[in-house]
């Protein structure tokens, strides 16, 4: 059941590859603009890198949030999901995971390549990737609440950014903190454990909140 | 089995309907009539539990549907204005996925059989976006063939269907009611379902 939802969303993403690629290219372009804009100052780039990559990841995750429930809302499949005998929160969890697989995982995989543009050393690249791996699912999960709340509203896309971006701040702080800590030799494990804790907490809490929000939006 | 008492629906400040009372037993068909905007869809959405009535209660086997929730969803199939099909999936994928989401996994051959029965032979592996409006409706209706639910809540099921498909739906309803099922249906067309108990609800 849970797997059916994931399988369905992945199948749909395969048929509409443009949607997936826009997010990825947005991420690549935003990250690449900074070395071009700031200039080839190696030290400055290295300091900026984690923040730039993370902010770009937040923005590109925002870009695709609106679509998470909207197309299902338009064609009536969301209505059918609400009437499913399975718990709605489980379905929402499935949709959020599918969203992450389609929009988050590609960013994690491309991030080390982009990090090279910023002259990041090898271990910082690893920590950056690890922090993205732990942090980007949280973005999809928290985003699901925002997407559910703004479903069917005019200008929902802007509203969802205003609702969700402040909630992303902890992920941003610990994600960039991990890379900075490892580059000054403090070790990234504290920040990464905190990111892991955020991931676990949002795995438990956000599907439930998003399901409640969906019920309200669909009424 | 299904019992509705003192149901009231508000749209903004305006009351769409109030004091709706009826009950439905096994083998009965309830036809909801009324002009546009009289609240047929709102009533059906309340019966599914998608909308909450401002006043009144809906009970299924003696329990309020709010308290049953997922257990109640196991007993109903709702077909709304929207077909609930994804444009980019094929007819067979749509049928199998929507059935699975409704808690009733079907295998491929069962799906093909249902689609052929609905007159969609040859369209099974076409994406739904290339099908006509009536064919899309048939894909949605094919769910009724494979589902194992007791109560069907149908909102204008005959829209966009040709006369052959209307007959098909009629026979489907008769079969379902014969087996002790229940149907609540909103429609403008007079549907001819012989030899079953038909109740009528007129919304002002």
């Amino acid at each position: 059941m849970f797997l059916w939802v994931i399988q369905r969303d992945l199948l749909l993403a395969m048929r509409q590859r443009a949607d997936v690629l826009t997010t990825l290219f947005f991420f690549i372009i935003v990250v690449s603009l900074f070395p071009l804009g700031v200039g080839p100052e190696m030290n400055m780039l290295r300091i900026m890198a984690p923040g730039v990559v993370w902010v770009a990841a937040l923005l590109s995750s925002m870009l695709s949030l609106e679509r998470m429930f909207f197309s299902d809302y338009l064609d009536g499949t969301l209505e059918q999901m609400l009437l499913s005998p399975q718990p709605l929160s489980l379905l929402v969890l499935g949709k959020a995971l599918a969203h992450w697989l389609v929009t988050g995982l590609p960013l994690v995989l491309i991030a080390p390549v982009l990090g090279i543009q910023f002259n990041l050393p090898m271990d910082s690249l690893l920590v950056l990737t690890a922090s993205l791996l732990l942090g980007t699912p949280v973005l999809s999960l928290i985003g699901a609440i925002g997407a559910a709340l703004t479903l069917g509203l005019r200008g929902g896309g802007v509203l969802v950014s205003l609702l969700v971006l402040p909630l992303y701040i902890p992920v941003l702080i610990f994600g960039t903190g991990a890379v900075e800590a490892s580059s000054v030799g403090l070790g990234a494990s504290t920040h990464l454990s905190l990111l892991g804790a955020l991931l676990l907490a949002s795995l438990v809490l956000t599907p439930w909140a998003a399901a409640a929000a969906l019920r309200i939006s669909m009424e | 089995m299904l019992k509705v008492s003192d149901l009231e629906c508000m749209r903004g400040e305006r009351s769409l309907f109030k004091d709706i009372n009826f009950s439905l037993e096994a083998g009965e068909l309830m036809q909801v009539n009324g002009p546009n905007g009289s609240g047929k869809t709102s009533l059906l959405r309340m019966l599914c539990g998608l909308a909450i009535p401002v006043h009144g209660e809906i009970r299924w086997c003696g329990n309020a549907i709010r308290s049953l929730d997922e257990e109640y969803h196991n007993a109903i199939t709702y077909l709304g204005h929207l077909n609930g099909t994804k444009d980019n999936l094929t007819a067979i994928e749509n049928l199998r996925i929507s059935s699975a989401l409704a808690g009733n996994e079907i295998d491929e051959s069962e799906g093909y059989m249902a689609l052929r029965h609905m007159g969609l032979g040859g369209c099974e592996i076409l994406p739904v976006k290339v099908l006509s409006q009536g064919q899309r409706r048939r894909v949605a209706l094919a769910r009724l063939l494979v589902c194992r639910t007791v109560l069907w809540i149908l909102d204008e099921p005959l829209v966009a269907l040709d006369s052959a498909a209307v007959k098909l739906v009629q026979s489907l309803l008769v079969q379902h009611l014969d087996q002790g099922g229940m149907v609540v249906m909103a429609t403008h067309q007079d549907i001819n379902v012989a030899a079953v108990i038909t109740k009528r609800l007129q919304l002002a």
Side-chain angles (χ1 to χ4, degrees), chain A residues 65 68-69 92 139-151 160 163-164 167 205-211 213-214 217:
Chain A
L65 268 188
M68 199 191 282
F69 298 113
V92 172
L139 305 183
S140 293
L141 285 162
I142 293 177
I145 305 178
L149 276 174
T150 56
L151 194 66
V160 90
L163 275 174
V164 163
L167 297 173
L205 297 175
T206 57
W208 170 76
L214 270 186
S217 303

Side-chain angles (χ1 to χ4, degrees), chain B residues 76-136:
Chain B
I76 64 166
T77 296
Y78 172 66
L79 190 68
H81 272 285
L82 301 165
N83 289 330
T85 52
K86 299 296 295 181
D87 277 353
N88 279 315
L89 297 181
T90 66
I92 183 79
E93 284 166 347
N94 263 307
L95 178 60
R96 288 194 67 202
I97 289 172
S98 59
S99 296
L101 289 181
N104 173 32
E105 289 190 20
I106 58 169
D107 53 31
E108 208 142 75
S109 61
E110 204 178 340
Y112 275 108
M113 247 160 55
L115 289 175
R116 282 196 196 120
H117 187 86
M118 288 311 294
L120 289 165
C123 304
E124 296 100 333
I125 51 166
L126 291 178
V128 165
K129 66 179 168 199
V130 305
L131 300 183
S132 78
Q133 205 60 42
Q135 285 173 319
R136 287 179 205 194

Side-chain angles (χ1 to χ4, degrees), chain B residues 60-77:
Chain B
W60 175 250
C61 301
N63 300 306
I65 59 166
R66 278 273 132 195
S67 66
L68 290 173
D69 218 17
E70 276 130 24
E71 195 184 326
Y72 179 58
H73 294 165
N74 249 328
I76 64 166
T77 296

Side-chain angles (χ1 to χ4, degrees), chain A residues 37-167:
Chain A
V38 175
E41 184 75 49
M42 288 300 190
N43 279 329
M44 180 133 80
L45 284 177
R46 203 177 309 138
I47 294 165
M48 278 173 36
V52 169
V53 173
W54 260 102
V55 169
L58 299 193
L59 294 178
S60 40
S61 144
M62 294 285 346
L63 200 63
S64 54
L65 268 188
E66 213 192 343
R67 281 198 303 267
M68 199 191 282
F69 298 113
F70 193 62
S71 70
D72 290 345
Y73 171 70
L74 284 185
D75 58 26
T77 41
L78 193 60
E79 236 169 26
Q80 297 295 339
M81 284 187 193
L82 256 68
L83 295 175
S84 162
Q86 303 291 324
L88 184 59
S89 46
L90 203 63
L91 290 175
V92 172
L93 182 63
K95 282 197 76 72
L97 284 183
H99 179 264
W100 175 71
L101 286 174
V102 169
T103 63
L105 192 58
L107 307 192
V108 178
L109 298 176
I110 200 87
V113 182
L114 296 177
I116 296 171
Q117 291 187 86
F118 291 86
N119 193 31
L120 277 181
M122 193 58 202
D123 46 344
S124 293
L125 281 179
L126 280 176
V127 173
L128 178 66
T129 315
S131 71
L132 282 169
L133 191 63
L134 285 170
T136 45
V138 182
L139 305 183
S140 293
L141 285 162
I142 293 177
I145 305 178
L149 276 174
T150 56
L151 194 66
L153 296 183
R154 219 183 304 164
V158 184
L159 198 57
V160 90
S161 340
L162 295 179
L163 275 174
V164 163
L165 278 177
L167 297 173

Side-chain angles (χ1 to χ4, degrees), chain B residues 156-178:
Chain B
E156 303 281 1
L158 307 178
V159 165
L161 293 182
D162 58 20
S163 56
V166 170
K167 282 208 186 72
L168 213 59
V169 174
Q170 281 175 357
S171 68
L172 212 65
L173 293 180
V174 171
Q175 199 189 354
H176 179 62
L177 294 166
D178 277 347

